[in-house]
Amino acid sequence: MSIGDSMRIHILVTDEKGVTYEGTVELTKTKPSASIGGKTHQPPRIIRKAPQAIHALYLTHYFKENKPLDTIIEKLGAMRYNFKKHTVEMALQRAKYLTNTGNNNYVEKYPPT
């Protein structure tokens, strides 16, 4: 390994009981698409469409309880997604992981994994 391909770090930590731990770690350069925790790290995707925004809400367990359409639109607006009402309504109707419980209320069919 040439100089600049690795970095050595010395760590000294004291816990709440006053016990001290120390160690040295050598880090090596990786490719930009390095694997972190078994998964390839990807830069965050920009959400540009209503179905993507609805899916992002679903992944945060937002639809764990019944949510009316107007509340969903307000939530998206608070997140700075300002889609037209009809666009959001169509995205909700097409989301296979949500169900309409009547009067434009939506709840998840199953929790996200």
Side-chain angles (χ1 to χ4, degrees):
M1 222 178 294
S2 65
I3 295 179
D5 287 343
S6 67
M7 175 187 298
R8 186 173 299 225
I9 299 174
H10 184 79
I11 302 170
L12 179 66
V13 178
T14 304
D15 69 12
E16 64 277 352
K17 295 179 183 176
V19 179
T20 303
Y21 303 86
E22 69 178 302
T24 303
V25 177
E26 185 160 338
L27 304 174
T28 57
K29 264 188 186 175
T30 62
K31 295 178 183 176
S33 63
S35 177
I36 299 173
K39 296 183 179 179
T40 302
H41 176 67
Q42 301 275 333
R45 292 183 0 183
I46 297 172
I47 294 174
R48 297 178 194 257
K49 300 190 178 215
Q52 294 171 317
I54 296 298
H55 188 69
L57 279 178
Y58 168 68
L59 292 176
T60 65
H61 301 276
Y62 180 75
F63 294 100
K64 186 176 182 178
E65 297 177 10
N66 247 0
K67 301 289 182 186
L69 177 61
D70 292 337
T71 302
I72 297 166
I73 291 171
E74 286 176 22
K75 177 68 173 177
L76 291 171
M79 296 168 62
R80 298 176 46 200
Y81 297 117
N82 299 297
F83 302 109
K84 293 180 181 179
K85 183 176 183 175
H86 178 73
T87 303
V88 174
E89 191 172 18
M90 292 303 295
L92 289 164
Q93 290 173 3
R94 291 180 178 160
K96 296 182 188 271
Y97 45 85
L98 298 177
T99 187
N100 185 341
T101 59
N103 296 326
N104 279 330
N105 288 297
Y106 292 87
V107 67
E108 63 188 28
K109 289 182 183 177
Y110 45 85
T113 57

